Amino acid sequence: MYDVPEPRDYLEPREGNTVGYCAECGQDIYAGEDIWEIKGEWYCEYCIDSFRNEAENKNYFEDAI
């Protein structure tokens, strides 16, 4: 007969403590994650990457003028 394996919590990522929310998308920001604070508001890594991709678009400044 087979034994029931012990739970292996180390295989699953641990969910950290929520320390705040992204000002752009509203997603939870967990302790230990990279965040950016701009004018007192917190932004997650995903939103910062999307801002950077938009700004690096060659048409970004043409649309702004």
Side-chain angles (χ1 to χ4, degrees), residues 3-17:
D3 292 331
V4 176
E6 295 180 22
R8 296 185 286 182
D9 294 334
Y10 61 88
L11 295 177
E12 295 294 323
R14 293 186 178 156
E15 189 169 312
N17 297 331

Side-chain angles (χ1 to χ4, degrees), residues 24 44-57:
E24 181 69 16
C44 68
E45 185 173 7
Y46 176 78
C47 289
I48 291 294
D49 286 343
S50 68
F51 296 155
R52 181 180 9 180
N53 289 338
E54 182 180 345
E56 289 175 349
N57 184 351

Side-chain angles (χ1 to χ4, degrees), residues 7-46:
R8 296 185 286 182
D9 294 334
Y10 61 88
L11 295 177
E12 295 294 323
R14 293 186 178 156
E15 189 169 312
N17 297 331
T18 302
V19 294
Y21 304 94
C22 177
E24 181 69 16
C25 68
Q27 293 294 320
D28 294 343
I29 296 176
Y30 297 102
E33 284 188 327
D34 291 335
I35 62 167
W36 287 261
E37 183 177 353
I38 302 171
K39 295 185 179 181
E41 295 188 334
W42 289 0
Y43 295 89
C44 68
E45 185 173 7
Y46 176 78

